[in-house]
Amino acid sequence: MTPAELAEVVLSAAHAVFTERGLDRSALPDSTAVERPRNPEHGDYASTLALQLSKKVGVPPRELATALAEQLGRAPGVKSVEIAGPGFLNIRLDAAAAGQLARTIVEAGEEYGRSERLAGQRINLEFVSANPTGPVHIGGVRWAAVGDALSRLLRATGADVGTEYYFNDAGSQIDRFARSLLAAAKGEPAPEDGYAGAYITEIADAVRGIRPDVRELDDAAAQEIFRVEGVALMFEEIKTSLRGFGVEFDTYFNEKDLHDRGELDLALERLRAQGRVFESDGATWLRTTDFGDDKDRVLRKSNGEWTYFAADCAYYLDKRERGFERVVIMLGADHHGYIGRMKAMAACFGDDPERNLEILIGQMVNLVRDGAPVRMSKRAGTVVTLEDLVDAIGVDASRYALARYSSDSPIDIDVELWTRATRDNPVYYVQYVAARTASVGRNAAEVGLTRGDAEAFRPELLGHEKENELLKALAEFPAVVATAAELRGPHRVARYLEELAGAYHRFYDECRILPRGDEEATDLHHARLWLNDATRTVIANGLRLLGVSAPERM
């Protein structure tokens, strides 16, 4: 029995009690929930439904809890119900009801853990969006891991998600990039405000290979060639790096398209129609202070040039016009000041900034070895890149390490820890369970043991304390996935998987799954094989949500 199924049983019992007592059934909720008590001695699950309904119907909570307990005690699969405190219900399942979960998980396969919790929501999720002026640095890699995992979680809970990379191919940073490439091609030092590193020389050489005639052009014409071709090469390298990291985007959106299609003018017209635009000192402004921003923002300068903020407005409007109800943007720690102005901008369009726009801020990441920061990338010159991280600890460990912590916490990634084949390495600890459960399956096949027909499965045999502990951990997976999606926290899945891995290791150590030597396979062996395979299913499903592999061998 899953927690969701038990919750339905609890609600059904409440309906029966209300009917028997003539209480107002309109006070009953459409759904309820059960949770695991912190102390396992208090039972398998707990419900606060009696406390929630007591005031609504004017019945003391313990009296209502007593009636619910009596009704629940007659339900199939419920072993006992105890009343604690002012009216908590502590529920224990019988072994058959608890063990049935193993078959449910195996039969559901990849679908176990998925739900329709966020069905109907259209979400645009923008992450990474690093400027194409250099390789993806370690901060951007964090968003690649977290953003991709979050997109998988949102889809697993029924949301319609579009992932997006905003490709900034306009503006002063691109101009500095082009000047840097031109300088490298001429054998000159990088401009004072330009970009340095071996990658600049590599790209400059590649552009000269594509356009040999660039050497014959004047500086202005040559710089334009380096801008167009250099940006294209750099962005293709970024996409290739992210693809190797397991991250693909549904849309790569060019900022230049906003300008070429006149979308900045359209955004200005919309904002003007809302009465939020004014002119001052020859410039065009948006009155964001009406919605809590610390100052009004310039959209168009007195010289006629658009500001970056104007492009932000146009891009937000473009997403909303494409039908996305909620726009989620992941930004680095240095963008914290953007929240107020972006929320105010959404309000200026007439949107609800709490419903239509969500901004997530990620903190810094450091790569360390022996307690000291890893040296800067020789190729990038100034930063640790995606390739540096992957070279140091691998794709799986990188993705797991970056997704394992709440994105609003700074983290240090210890190269020694994340490459260690020991239990103190979190990704190894979890992946080892994936490999061990697969190994049990192979060994079972070698001795002719299979799970057997589902109808012959005897879940009531899974009554050992460690079996029960493992079953309860497996039962939590759907709720963990739903909560992680709603709270935008992939780290919750990683931490859950580590708890599940611990429960499996304890089960494996105390409960013999396969028969020894010439020992006949019993119904208990078959039942434990179901439980073993259910664990592999959940471990694999959880790792898949993080974009991490579930190896069959290690």
Side-chain angles (χ1 to χ4, degrees):
M1 184 183 297
T2 66
E5 290 169 340
L6 178 57
E8 287 295 319
V9 171
V10 172
L11 194 57
S12 177
H15 274 275
V17 168
F18 273 48
T19 300
E20 289 174 0
R21 292 188 163 219
L23 300 174
D24 181 9
R25 288 193 296 177
S26 67
L28 290 167
D30 293 331
S31 62
T32 187
V34 295
E35 57 187 26
R36 288 170 64 184
R38 292 182 180 178
N39 186 345
E41 294 180 3
H42 293 166
D44 297 325
Y45 295 97
S47 170
T48 60
L49 188 60
L51 295 170
Q52 296 169 24
L53 297 175
S54 176
K55 287 185 179 180
K56 293 182 179 180
V57 295
V59 178
R62 280 193 68 91
E63 181 182 333
L64 189 55
T66 299
L68 282 171
E70 290 176 358
Q71 187 68 38
L72 268 174
R74 296 193 287 269
V78 175
K79 180 179 180 180
S80 66
V81 185
E82 297 173 357
I83 303 166
F88 294 101
L89 294 172
N90 290 334
I91 305 165
R92 285 183 171 81
L93 302 180
D94 63 35
Q100 192 64 40
L101 179 66
R103 182 170 69 182
T104 298
I105 293 172
V106 171
E107 291 179 342
E110 291 186 11
E111 291 300 306
Y112 184 69
R114 303 180 70 88
S115 71
E116 294 298 309
R117 181 77 69 91
L118 302 182
Q121 292 192 25
R122 287 208 69 203
I123 300 173
N124 181 281
L125 180 61
E126 180 199 342
F127 56 101
V128 183
S129 294
N131 290 325
T133 54
V136 180
H137 62 76
I138 196 168
V141 183
R142 182 176 199 175
W143 275 140
V146 175
D148 187 62
L150 181 54
S151 73
R152 294 165 186 248
L153 281 165
L154 293 170
R155 287 170 175 145
T157 46
D160 180 2
V161 181
T163 58
E164 196 145 316
Y165 188 117
Y166 186 53
F167 175 23
N168 182 347
D169 54 353
S172 60
Q173 290 180 321
I174 300 300
D175 292 337
R176 295 201 303 271
F177 178 63
R179 292 201 307 272
S180 301
L181 293 176
L182 177 60
K186 295 168 68 175
E188 299 175 354
E192 188 175 336
D193 62 346
Y195 297 91
Y199 79 96
I200 290 292
T201 302
E202 292 171 11
I203 293 174
D205 290 344
V207 172
R208 289 165 59 183
I210 296 170
R211 291 291 303 269
D213 61 320
V214 73
R215 303 176 187 181
E216 302 167 9
L217 303 176
D218 61 45
D219 281 359
Q223 183 173 312
E224 180 60 17
I225 295 296
F226 278 111
R227 187 190 72 78
V228 174
E229 299 293 349
V231 165
L233 287 168
M234 190 72 254
F235 193 54
E236 189 55 43
E237 180 177 321
I238 289 171
K239 289 196 287 187
T240 299
S241 296
L242 289 170
R243 194 175 298 121
F245 198 58
V247 179
E248 290 273 10
F249 289 86
D250 298 319
T251 302
Y252 293 93
F253 193 102
N254 287 16
E255 180 188 349
K256 190 170 181 293
D257 289 343
L258 293 171
H259 295 266
D260 294 345
R261 296 196 298 244
E263 292 196 39
L264 280 79
D265 291 293
L266 175 62
L268 178 58
E269 291 172 15
R270 292 288 183 87
L271 292 166
R272 199 183 296 278
Q274 292 287 332
R276 304 298 176 187
V277 174
F278 67 97
E279 309 293 327
S280 179
D281 299 326
T284 303
W285 299 69
L286 183 64
R287 205 181 301 278
T288 53
T289 52
D290 286 352
F291 298 100
D293 195 6
D294 59 348
K295 63 182 180 180
D296 294 323
R297 303 290 170 177
V298 177
L299 295 172
R300 201 166 203 166
K301 301 176 185 178
S302 57
N303 64 3
E305 291 182 3
W306 293 103
T307 62
Y308 283 121
F309 185 67
D312 289 338
C313 294
Y315 186 37
Y316 172 79
L317 180 61
D318 183 275
K319 291 177 178 179
R320 295 285 285 120
E321 292 287 289
R322 282 185 272 146
F324 291 106
E325 174 192 10
R326 192 168 187 87
V327 173
V328 181
I329 307 173
M330 296 180 158
L331 298 173
D334 56 342
H335 287 75
H336 200 278
Y338 277 58
I339 297 176
R341 77 186 72 167
M342 293 293 285
K343 290 281 188 178
M345 174 266 291
C348 286
F349 276 116
D351 281 351
D352 179 351
E354 297 308 310
R355 183 174 68 89
N356 300 120
L357 177 62
E358 182 178 347
I359 298 178
L360 306 177
I361 299 294
Q363 294 301 319
M364 298 295 292
V365 183
N366 296 304
L367 187 64
V368 300
R369 181 184 281 114
D370 298 327
V374 171
R375 291 183 61 187
M376 299 297 187
S377 167
K378 291 181 181 178
R379 182 168 184 268
T382 57
V383 295
V384 176
T385 67
L386 186 157
E387 285 77 11
D388 294 328
L389 180 62
V390 170
D391 287 347
I393 65 175
V395 171
D396 277 351
S398 297
R399 290 192 60 132
Y400 193 97
L402 290 165
R404 184 178 184 258
Y405 302 91
S406 174
S407 57
D408 58 8
S409 301
I411 54 175
D412 289 334
I413 296 179
D414 187 332
V415 173
E416 302 292 337
L417 170 66
W418 289 95
T419 53
R420 200 176 293 155
T422 57
R423 287 190 174 191
D424 58 346
N425 175 352
V427 70
Y428 179 86
Y429 187 60
V430 174
Q431 287 185 316
Y432 187 74
V433 171
R436 173 170 269 184
T437 52
S439 174
V440 168
R442 289 193 300 273
N443 292 339
E446 288 176 5
V447 298
L449 176 64
T450 65
R451 291 192 304 266
D453 188 272
E455 298 304 316
F457 171 51
R458 294 186 59 191
E460 70 275 11
L461 297 177
L462 298 175
H464 191 281
E465 176 188 356
K466 299 306 177 185
E467 292 166 341
N468 184 257
E469 179 187 342
L470 179 55
L471 285 162
K472 285 193 287 186
L474 293 169
E476 290 300 301
F477 184 59
V480 170
V481 173
T483 301
E486 290 179 330
L487 299 182
R488 317 302 194 230
H491 65 282
R492 294 172 180 271
V493 175
R495 297 309 176 102
Y496 162 80
L497 290 174
E498 291 163 36
E499 291 179 10
L500 177 59
Y504 178 81
H505 286 307
R506 290 186 290 273
F507 155 73
Y508 184 89
D509 290 343
E510 294 201 24
C511 301
R512 180 77 186 177
I513 301 174
L514 304 180
R516 289 188 176 89
D518 296 331
E519 181 185 357
E520 277 296 313
T522 66
D523 288 341
L524 178 58
H525 292 119
H526 289 283
R528 285 177 173 169
L529 193 54
W530 278 92
L531 184 52
N532 176 83
D533 293 356
T535 304
R536 174 160 178 85
T537 297
V538 175
I539 288 285
N541 289 357
L543 287 172
R544 188 179 303 110
L545 289 172
L546 300 177
V548 177
S549 69
E552 295 194 357
R553 289 180 170 84
M554 287 183 73

